């Protein structure tokens, strides 16, 4: 985007010229990077990286408020920057841990999701965030959605930890499911009214004779296209379609790296026994013909679906959004 190509490198250049950064300035800059999904290469921005921004923040000698720390951790998770998050967490003090009990619901929700997304399972802040979350009244939709996905990460990746209260998980899960369906509908359409990419991928599966579902709610998420075990001959396959909004931005164009939230979704779906195949919409659109698109999806499916099944020529696919 013009912001990434033009203004953002200038801001990072100014940050790079500073010896230190005030905590709120560094947190705001990292939040901005996460908001536009931008990780410009160091050579484009005078060598400033997310980890470098965290180091400049810590170098100020000023205390980093818990809310600022939570914001930075979420930005690091979204940008796929675990080293930057580790640098901040290594500098956290006993005072940070003690402050969690008195934090507002937004800070607790962001902190809990971020630490779990970053897989910081042994950090003292996570234990404190879990304790606080169990007695916090989360009310805003954004908070509840973070808590719902955090609960799923706990269940699948930290099963020995005491779970969050069932009522919190139930309320958060209902809102989360609705928000995911609405987001999927906005991005790719529905089974009844599919968007172009959803319709074309479904059509390619039909051409291969592979029965599939469209916009299926499974594994706690909305999965764009689903091939069940009786079709694959093994694990179920979820095909996720990714727009540019799902991907980090490089210096001038989308990269092939997915934002942290999408990476969390993929790993949690995989943790539930699914094979996940990603289709990047800009790469799909670049395929020159229907035959090329059928070949492309077949090549992605071959490692996970029997060769005879993926080769095509079987019965009609019967997908709900056939092309």
């Amino acid at each position: 985007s013009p912001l990434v190509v033009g203004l953002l490198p200038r801001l990072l250049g100014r940050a790079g010229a500073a010896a230190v950064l005030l905590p709120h300035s560094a947190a705001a800059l990292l939040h901005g990077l996460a908001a536009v999904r931008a990780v410009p290469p160091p050579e484009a921005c005078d060598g400033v990286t997310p980890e470098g921004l965290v180091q400049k923040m810590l170098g100020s000698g000023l205390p980093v408020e818990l809310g600022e720390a939570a914001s930075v951790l979420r930005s690091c998770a979204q940008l796929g920057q675990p080293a930057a998050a580790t640098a901040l967490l290594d500098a956290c003090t006993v005072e940070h841990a003690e402050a969690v009990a008195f934090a507002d619901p937004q800070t607790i929700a962001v902190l809990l999701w971020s630490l779990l997304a970053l897989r910081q399972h042994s950090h003292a802040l996570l234990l404190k965030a879990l304790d606080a979350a169990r007695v916090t009244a989360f009310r805003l939709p954004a908070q509840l959605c973070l808590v719902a996905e955090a609960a799923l990460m706990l269940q699948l990746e930290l099963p020995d930890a005491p779970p969050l209260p069932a009522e919190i998980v139930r309320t958060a899960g209902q809102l989360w499911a609705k928000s995911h369906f609405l987001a999927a509908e906005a991005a790719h359409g529905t089974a009844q009214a599919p968007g172009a990419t959803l319709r074309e991928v479904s059509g390619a599966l039909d051409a291969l004779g592979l029965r599939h579902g469209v916009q299926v709610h499974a594994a706690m998420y909305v999965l764009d296209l689903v091939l069940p075990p009786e079709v694959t001959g093994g694990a179920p396959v979820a095909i996720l379609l990714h727009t540019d909004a799902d991907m980090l931005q490089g210096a001038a164009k989308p990269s092939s790296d997915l934002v942290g939230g999408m990476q969390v979704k993929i790993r949690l779906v995989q943790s539930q026994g699914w094979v996940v195949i990603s289709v990047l919409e800009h790469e799909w659109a670049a395929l020159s013909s229907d035959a090329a698109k059928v070949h492309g999806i077949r090549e992605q499916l071959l490692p996970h679906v029997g060769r005879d099944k993926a080769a095509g020529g079987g019965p009609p696919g019967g997908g709900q959004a056939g092309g």
Side-chain angles (χ1 to χ4, degrees), residues 129-200:
L130 283 169
D131 288 342
R134 293 186 182 103
V135 296
T136 297
F138 299 103
R139 302 190 185 281
L140 297 181
Q143 297 166 6
L144 289 164
C145 287
L146 288 173
V147 170
E149 193 162 41
L152 185 59
M153 284 189 269
L154 275 175
Q155 175 189 334
L156 296 174
E157 298 179 338
L158 205 58
D160 292 336
L164 296 175
E167 182 62 22
I168 292 178
V169 175
R170 184 188 65 80
T171 302
Q174 290 174 345
L175 182 63
W176 187 48
K178 181 178 179 180
S179 70
H180 268 278
F181 179 80
L182 292 175
E185 183 179 40
H188 308 298
T190 66
Q192 291 73 34
T197 304
L198 183 62
R199 183 172 61 251
E200 290 174 2

Side-chain angles (χ1 to χ4, degrees), residues 125-282:
L125 278 180
L126 177 58
L127 300 178
K128 295 293 186 180
L130 283 169
D131 288 342
R134 293 186 182 103
V135 296
T136 297
F138 299 103
R139 302 190 185 281
L140 297 181
Q143 297 166 6
L144 289 164
C145 287
L146 288 173
V147 170
E149 193 162 41
L152 185 59
M153 284 189 269
L154 275 175
Q155 175 189 334
L156 296 174
E157 298 179 338
L158 205 58
D160 292 336
L164 296 175
E167 182 62 22
I168 292 178
V169 175
R170 184 188 65 80
T171 302
Q174 290 174 345
L175 182 63
W176 187 48
K178 181 178 179 180
S179 70
H180 268 278
F181 179 80
L182 292 175
E185 183 179 40
H188 308 298
T190 66
Q192 291 73 34
T197 304
L198 183 62
R199 183 172 61 251
E200 290 174 2
V201 177
S202 180
L205 294 174
D206 279 341
L208 292 169
L210 296 174
R211 181 169 58 84
H212 57 280
V214 176
Q215 296 293 56
V216 175
H217 189 273
M220 294 293 292
Y221 291 94
V222 175
L223 308 178
D224 296 312
L225 299 118
V226 165
L227 280 69
E230 56 268 27
V231 171
T232 66
V237 171
I239 300 175
L240 302 183
L241 310 182
H242 302 297
T243 67
D244 287 352
D246 294 330
M247 293 186 290
L248 298 174
Q249 302 288 325
K253 61 182 181 180
S255 74
S256 60
D257 296 324
L258 296 169
V259 297
M262 186 57 65
Q263 291 183 33
V264 168
K265 174 179 178 176
I266 289 173
R267 88 179 192 225
L268 293 181
V269 172
Q270 290 172 331
S271 294
Q272 297 173 76
W274 290 73
V275 170
V276 176
I277 291 174
S278 290
V279 173
L280 309 186
E281 286 202 347
H282 69 274

